[in-house]
Amino acid sequence: MIKISNLSKSYSRGAVKAVDNLNLHVRPGEIFGFLGPNGAGKTTTIKMMVGLLNPDEGIIIINGFDNQKDPIDAKRSIGYVPDSPVIYDRLTGLEYLDFMANVYQVPPDIKMQRINHFLDMFELVDSANDLIKSYSHGMKQKIVLTGALIHNPALWIMDEPMVGLDPRSSHLLKELMREHCDKGNTVFFSTHILEVAERLCDRIGIIHKGKLIAIGDLDELRHGEHAATLENIFLELTEQ
Amino acid sequence: MKQFINLLKISLNVNFGISALRYRFTREKKRLWEPILIFLAIIIGGGSLVAFFTMVLYSVYAAGVFMNTPEIVITIGLLASQFVIFVFGIFYIISAFYFSNDVDILVPLPLKPYHILGTKFLIILINEYLVLLPMLIPAIIIYGVGTRPDIAYWFKSVFIMLLSPVIPLIIASVFVLVLMRLINVRKSKDLLMVIGGLLGLFLGVAINYFAQRMSNGNPDEFMQDLLTSRINIIDKLGEKLPHVLWGTYSLSKPGIEGLLYFALTIAVAAIAFIFLLWLGNRIFYKGLLSGQEVSRKKRNLSAEQINRKTQKTSNPVTALFWREWKLFLRTPIYMINGLAGMIMVPFLLLMPYFSGSGDMQELISMATDPQFITQATLVGLAIVLFTASINIVSCTSLSREGQTFWISKVIPISPKQQVTAKLLHGMAISGIGILFTIIIIAFVLQLSPVRLFTILILGILGSFLLNTLNLIIDVIRPKLVWNDPQEAVKQNLNGFFSILLTFVSLIIWGVLSALLFKIGIPEGWVYIILGLSAAILSVPSLAILYTLAESSYRKLEL
């Protein structure tokens, strides 16, 4: 579903290497957790995957499409949730969802059904007709999530999606992620909550100073040390 | 005081992007040609506007010398610049005081209200110098060179220039502070901003109206009165706006008298500023904090209602068009800036009509006179094109997206379709301007339906070209990083470039029509050639827009 080859990106004319020759393959049906300390290159990688940043080098294949050569087809396969929910403050929640559905050309009956479903699930029915500027951070996050999933994309790319969500919504999201992947789809998300990654992810990648320093399922990361928690592994790897 | 200076320093840094510029020049070292190009464009474009204004001022000075009141040039310079500052200052102040995003950061800090208010005021003041100095410096120089006053004149003039926007801005600030405190209705803050802005505009129109009345309908007679010193215009203005009079006298009166006026000007500005801070300390936070509360209707939507609102599916371009339209109408500063010119220009046109002067009858009979009807049509067309193109909608179209631009980057819609929606939105706004102005022209100039239709078609063709070119400006250099929506439209140089472009285009079309008439081309053909020139130029312009959009959308990183 995602194939990243030799991906690099630097800032300040090469002075700061944010992502350094990254190679990654995420398979269909997988929940992939992307971990790393602050400034490790997680968001930069994600932004390059969804087309917000241009790589200096390397190729990103999304659902079989090169996101540099066929950006529109690649984007159609993605539902993206950014790390902060900056959206159109002066649209109502419902207008935003309607806009996103139209932009992704979701047929009307499916659109109505999905909007109703998500608004109900995230308890947004009461506020759907209010301007987004009146929403709390968590409500904005839920609207962004809904907008990203409205076209039922095969690949979800989410940058810290649980931040700002209440425990109930966070739980629901995790269930949605599992269900989505059980249908053969893919979820790629970054997080700092190691317990979530530990319980939810099929495989985990740890990025540090722009380089992928570990990848695999929990057992592979443990290297036979069964008692090791993801926290121990993470701290050990990123302290080097 | 230390806190105040600290806050001022950081605000200056943020406002003028000093750290960002330093970073760009020292670390990124890319696109250095861009600021150089912008600087050149400002010098050339701004220079020609200043040159024009200087010529006007010089004739004022020449008339003043003739009447033995050469200082009138200073009065006019002060008056014109302060008028502009007051009218536009109202929007600026409402937006910077009450709608700026940094309020969330500043209010919890251990600062006094007057620290924040004072800083914001000074930032506005500094920004206004950019508008004011090009209008005032020519007046100071013309008078200085013409009358050869002593060295103290030049010394005093620097202070007078620096002080001159203070009074109008303080008046505007006090007006806004009181307005926001009195009408403390949370829900209507947006509405209030529109009302405040429109009040400023109407005040501008009203002043124009009285200026028309003051001339007694007959400029010749007025000049006669002036020349025979039956009216001392400076004293007359001084009755209404004493600080303009003091400013003028502090420069024009020699010796002690001048110095006294100079001291008076400084003292009044200082007292007014202290008063503003005192008032701000009392009422600024009250209005500000109530504006931070946002109300929600909390209406329970039934599934049926949701279905009704979402049942229509539109194609992506239509969806994008409605997004543009809604965001534009619901953001007061965008709406005011977009629609103000279109309301203002036709009103200014109507004003002499209602002031009932004899000139108007003369103008109308001229317009209907077959001898001048062509000129009337062309002038009508120029007004329509001007009104339709000063809305700064297209030239800030990407900029207005700001940090939400990420959505445009991730949706599977080609940049070509995205800018098409923006162009349609720009045209829709221009269309309102075109129709509105044509109705006014039909009323004032009483042109025949055929001529009005010609103006309509040429107006649409011309404004399509201008909108395309304006959109190109914003696609090349969008301003996506801003704190407050007004920065996207008012502190965006693209607006300046757009107005410049409109002027240049109008001049080119004007010269072209004059040439065509001169070589004996029949009137109908002149219109056809004008229309064709706009239509033909639109084709490559559109192609350039689409090509640039493809590369620019790809290159822009968030």
Side-chain angles (χ1 to χ4, degrees):
Chain A
M1 183 55 81
I2 306 173
K3 255 189 193 158
I4 298 177
S5 319
N6 308 320
L7 187 69
S8 292
K9 173 81 181 174
S10 51
Y11 295 116
S12 307
R13 293 171 71 85
V16 182
K17 206 134 198 183
V19 174
D20 192 358
N21 201 27
L22 184 85
N23 287 286
L24 188 65
H25 183 195
V26 181
R27 295 182 283 260
E30 205 170 56
I31 300 186
F32 190 90
F34 201 40
L35 314 183
N38 293 331
K42 297 186 296 295
T43 298
T44 304
T45 307
I46 287 178
K47 283 186 168 179
M48 283 193 280
M49 285 160 68
V50 299
L52 284 174
L53 292 175
N54 301 313
D56 294 343
E57 280 169 55
I59 296 169
I60 303 171
I61 308 287
I62 302 279
N63 201 16
F65 301 106
D66 184 330
N67 84 342
Q68 295 291 301
K69 288 184 186 142
D70 304 303
I72 302 290
D73 288 320
K75 285 172 185 178
R76 225 172 253 137
S77 322
I78 299 174
Y80 167 61
V81 178
D83 55 350
S84 58
V86 183
I87 46 173
Y88 310 123
D89 264 359
R90 285 170 196 270
L91 291 187
T92 66
L94 198 57
E95 284 171 340
Y96 176 72
L97 297 181
D98 192 46
F99 166 74
M100 290 304 265
N102 285 334
V103 153
Y104 283 100
Q105 290 174 284
V106 180
D109 45 339
I110 299 175
K111 171 170 79 170
M112 284 194 274
Q113 182 205 326
R114 290 209 186 120
I115 288 180
N116 275 306
H117 171 70
F118 281 116
L119 289 181
D120 197 40
M121 186 175 87
F122 285 133
E123 297 176 316
L124 287 172
V125 177
D126 289 352
S127 38
N129 222 12
D130 291 325
L131 290 185
I132 292 173
K133 71 171 182 168
S134 70
Y135 288 10
S136 70
H137 183 91
M139 288 162 80
K140 282 186 190 168
Q141 182 74 357
K142 288 192 264 187
I143 280 288
V144 174
L145 262 170
T146 308
L149 308 185
I150 199 97
H151 60 295
N152 194 23
L155 171 62
W156 297 358
I157 298 180
M158 301 173 162
D159 200 353
E160 313 245 9
M162 276 81 170
V163 173
L165 292 185
D166 55 43
R168 185 180 169 279
S169 309
S170 179
H171 172 74
L172 284 170
L173 176 62
K174 282 179 260 175
E175 277 188 348
L176 276 179
M177 287 160 105
R178 188 74 271 164
E179 274 171 34
H180 191 62
C181 290
D182 288 346
K183 290 179 195 153
N185 299 307
T186 310
V187 174
F188 181 100
F189 78 107
S190 73
T191 185
H192 283 299
I193 315 170
L194 299 179
E195 292 79 17
V196 171
E198 201 164 359
R199 266 187 283 124
L200 194 64
C201 297
D202 298 311
R203 285 200 307 148
I204 287 165
I206 300 177
I207 184 172
H208 186 42
K209 293 180 182 162
K211 285 184 193 289
L212 193 69
I213 52 169
I215 185 166
D217 60 27
L218 209 54
D219 283 338
E220 285 167 339
L221 292 178
R222 280 181 182 134
H223 291 298
E225 289 176 40
H226 292 291
T229 61
L230 185 57
E231 190 173 20
N232 299 134
I233 300 166
F234 182 86
L235 290 174
E236 197 178 309
L237 284 169
T238 53
E239 267 168 16
Q240 288 164 5
Chain B
M1 198 62 191
K2 208 175 159 193
Q3 278 173 313
F4 182 73
I5 290 176
N6 213 354
L7 182 62
L8 184 63
K9 263 199 319 213
I10 195 93
S11 302
L12 283 170
N13 189 338
V14 172
N15 193 265
F16 296 102
I18 296 166
S19 291
L21 274 179
R22 198 184 301 145
Y23 181 81
R24 193 166 142 187
F25 286 122
T26 56
R27 304 285 292 274
E28 287 190 325
K29 292 184 183 161
K30 62 176 182 185
R31 297 204 301 175
L32 285 183
W33 55 269
E34 199 185 85
I36 297 167
L37 208 69
I38 291 169
F39 185 71
L40 277 177
I42 293 175
I43 293 291
I44 296 166
S48 52
L49 291 179
V50 172
F52 175 73
F53 188 63
T54 308
M55 271 168 12
V56 173
L57 282 177
Y58 186 75
S59 40
V60 168
Y61 172 75
V65 170
F66 196 66
M67 302 177 244
N68 211 17
T69 50
E71 65 271 21
I72 192 166
V73 68
I74 296 173
T75 311
I76 297 292
L78 282 172
L79 202 64
S81 54
Q82 296 196 5
F83 172 66
V84 170
I85 281 181
F86 176 75
V87 171
F88 292 100
I90 288 185
F91 296 112
Y92 204 164
I93 286 164
I94 297 181
S95 176
F97 282 11
Y98 292 96
F99 291 87
S100 173
N101 286 350
D102 60 4
V103 164
D104 288 349
I105 304 167
L106 295 179
V107 171
L109 296 178
L111 296 166
K112 295 256 168 55
Y114 78 85
H115 287 145
I116 300 177
L117 187 88
T119 308
K120 284 183 175 290
F121 181 85
L122 289 177
I123 296 287
I124 297 173
L125 186 69
I126 292 167
N127 271 307
E128 295 288 20
Y129 285 135
L130 299 177
V131 180
L132 177 112
L133 293 182
M135 295 179 82
L136 210 47
I137 289 176
I140 301 281
I141 292 178
I142 289 171
Y143 183 81
V145 171
T147 60
R148 300 192 180 281
D150 53 7
I151 192 82
Y153 167 83
W154 298 103
F155 171 77
K156 283 186 290 184
S157 67
V158 173
F159 285 91
I160 293 295
M161 276 196 284
L162 294 180
L163 283 175
S164 67
V166 172
I167 296 284
L169 276 182
I170 287 177
I171 295 172
S173 302
V174 170
F175 168 70
V176 167
L177 278 173
V178 173
L179 194 76
M180 289 305 227
R181 180 70 195 99
L182 285 183
I183 314 172
N184 197 358
V185 187
R186 269 166 272 154
K187 275 187 215 159
S188 42
K189 284 277 159 178
D190 279 359
L191 183 73
L192 205 65
M193 181 136 170
V194 175
I195 293 171
L198 287 180
L199 262 175
L201 271 184
F202 279 110
L203 209 69
V205 174
I207 291 175
N208 186 283
Y209 178 74
F210 286 113
Q212 301 266 3
R213 293 300 290 262
M214 205 168 115
S215 70
N216 238 349
N218 189 339
D220 293 339
E221 215 172 274
F222 183 62
M223 278 313 272
Q224 204 79 43
D225 282 351
L226 275 177
L227 292 176
T228 50
S229 295
R230 267 187 276 162
I231 307 171
N232 185 339
I233 187 163
I234 299 171
D235 285 340
K236 205 173 163 78
L237 278 171
E239 288 166 18
K240 302 276 186 297
L241 302 161
H243 65 281
V244 174
L245 179 84
W246 301 332
T248 307
Y249 284 167
S250 63
L251 293 181
S252 67
K253 300 274 182 195
I256 279 292
E257 198 184 354
L259 279 176
L260 280 176
Y261 276 113
F262 181 61
L264 184 66
T265 311
I266 292 179
V268 168
I271 292 167
F273 185 60
I274 291 168
F275 171 73
L276 175 70
L277 294 184
W278 173 84
L279 185 74
N281 229 12
R282 265 157 192 71
I283 65 173
F284 177 47
Y285 267 18
K286 286 180 183 137
L288 180 69
L289 298 181
S290 73
Q292 295 296 302
E293 301 167 20
V294 265
S295 61
R296 269 196 263 146
K297 284 168 272 174
K298 275 267 174 201
R299 267 205 314 253
N300 229 333
L301 277 181
S302 65
E304 196 191 323
Q305 284 169 308
I306 292 177
N307 291 351
R308 208 174 43 239
K309 281 177 187 276
T310 55
Q311 64 189 351
K312 268 206 309 207
T313 291
S314 26
N315 68 44
V317 174
T318 317
L320 288 164
F321 172 82
W322 285 114
R323 173 197 67 176
E324 296 286 324
W325 190 251
K326 285 174 186 161
L327 295 176
F328 174 77
L329 284 186
R330 291 178 191 172
T331 313
I333 195 81
Y334 299 160
M335 192 176 78
I336 295 170
N337 272 288
L339 302 180
M342 302 198 313
I343 298 170
M344 189 98 158
V345 174
F347 260 100
L348 290 177
L349 268 179
L350 272 181
M351 209 53 79
Y353 188 84
F354 283 121
S355 65
S357 67
D359 289 355
M360 217 48 228
Q361 299 308 322
E362 215 173 290
L363 194 67
I364 290 163
S365 57
M366 256 170 80
T368 41
D369 184 336
Q371 204 192 332
F372 293 113
I373 196 144
T374 316
Q375 282 86 334
T377 313
L378 283 172
V379 167
L381 175 63
I383 294 169
V384 165
L385 276 175
F386 180 72
T387 319
S389 311
I390 54 164
N391 57 38
I392 61 167
V393 170
S394 293
C395 67
T396 61
S397 201
L398 260 80
S399 302
R400 291 196 310 267
E401 288 195 39
Q403 290 301 298
T404 62
F405 186 67
W406 71 267
I407 299 173
S408 300
K409 286 269 289 184
V410 301
I411 53 177
I413 309 295
S414 68
K416 181 180 170 181
Q417 283 179 300
Q418 299 206 29
V419 291
T420 302
K422 288 180 184 299
L423 186 58
L424 289 175
H425 175 236
M427 272 311 286
I429 303 285
S430 292
I432 299 173
I434 292 172
L435 284 178
F436 193 45
T437 321
I438 284 182
I439 292 169
I440 305 268
I441 285 176
F443 187 58
V444 175
L445 294 181
Q446 296 176 0
L447 295 173
S448 70
V450 179
R451 286 184 179 276
L452 291 174
F453 186 71
T454 311
I455 294 180
L456 175 72
I457 298 296
L458 292 180
I460 291 172
L461 289 172
S463 74
F464 183 80
L465 175 63
L466 289 174
N467 269 305
T468 310
L469 296 175
N470 281 331
L471 202 48
I472 289 176
I473 294 176
D474 204 37
V475 164
I476 294 174
R477 49 182 313 280
K479 179 175 180 167
L480 296 174
V481 182
W482 39 260
N483 262 322
D484 163 1
Q486 66 105 9
E487 288 173 36
V489 287
K490 294 204 70 185
Q491 281 169 287
N492 189 345
L493 272 176
N494 293 356
F496 167 78
F497 290 132
S498 155
I499 288 171
L500 203 65
L501 182 89
T502 304
F503 273 120
V504 171
S505 310
L506 287 180
I507 290 169
I508 292 173
W509 275 318
V511 170
L512 177 69
S513 352
L515 282 177
L516 290 173
F517 279 117
K518 204 169 179 198
I519 57 170
I521 307 281
E523 190 189 350
W525 279 102
V526 172
Y527 298 141
I528 290 172
I529 292 171
L530 282 181
L532 276 178
S533 73
I536 291 169
L537 281 173
S538 292
V539 178
S541 305
L542 209 55
I544 291 170
L545 172 67
Y546 288 154
T547 315
L548 284 174
E550 287 292 342
S551 69
S552 187
Y553 270 69
R554 189 180 278 254
K555 269 190 222 150
L556 286 168
E557 296 189 329
L558 277 177

